[in-house]
Amino acid sequence: MPKGTFLGEAEQLVLLAGWRLGEDVTGASIRDEVASLTGRHLTVAAVYTTLVRLEKKGFATSRMGDPRPVRGGRAPRWFTVTEEGIAALREARERMDRLWEGMPTEAEPEAP
């Protein structure tokens, strides 16, 4: 994988949650999914910053929706994980699996 395409922890969490939720998801729904499954609470700003970075890498796409039908209603931004993003997640998992291979599964007793 070329330099700059490795995934950091937050990128993995955001991509996995987005992939899990399907096409056209919002940053807020990704944030809620990450929190409910991992207990890690990301700010909406952190999620959107990560999604923009993932778009630049080609791992996600986005489109603007129609403004909400309330006064001052903002247009939601919808995100979708790309095939390249899914491939990057799979590669990151394989790398971690290789690192964990042969590691003890239980805590070893301390030496006296």
Side-chain angles (χ1 to χ4, degrees):
M1 193 173 252
K3 184 178 179 183
T5 56
F6 287 98
L7 295 172
E9 181 185 8
E11 291 174 327
Q12 287 184 48
L13 291 173
V14 167
L15 264 184
L16 277 168
W19 183 22
R20 191 177 183 83
L21 291 168
E23 293 184 13
D24 293 338
V25 297
T26 63
S29 62
I30 290 172
R31 178 199 60 193
D32 294 345
E33 185 78 356
V34 168
S36 71
L37 293 174
T38 69
R40 182 161 175 193
H41 298 281
L42 302 172
T43 65
V44 173
V47 172
Y48 278 100
T49 299
T50 302
L51 285 165
V52 168
R53 191 168 55 245
L54 291 167
E55 276 192 281
K56 289 179 182 176
K57 291 181 176 185
F59 297 158
T61 60
S62 72
R63 66 176 179 80
M64 295 302 293
D66 294 327
R68 297 212 164 93
V70 295
R71 183 178 172 120
R74 298 180 64 180
R77 190 169 179 182
W78 302 102
F79 291 90
T80 301
V81 176
T82 64
E83 290 298 320
E84 292 82 3
I86 293 168
L89 282 168
R90 287 188 169 130
E91 187 165 327
R93 182 178 184 174
E94 289 170 6
R95 260 193 314 277
M96 290 305 293
D97 287 347
R98 284 192 301 272
L99 282 169
W100 275 102
E101 193 172 309
M103 297 298 295
T105 57
E106 298 179 19
E108 296 181 7
E110 293 184 29

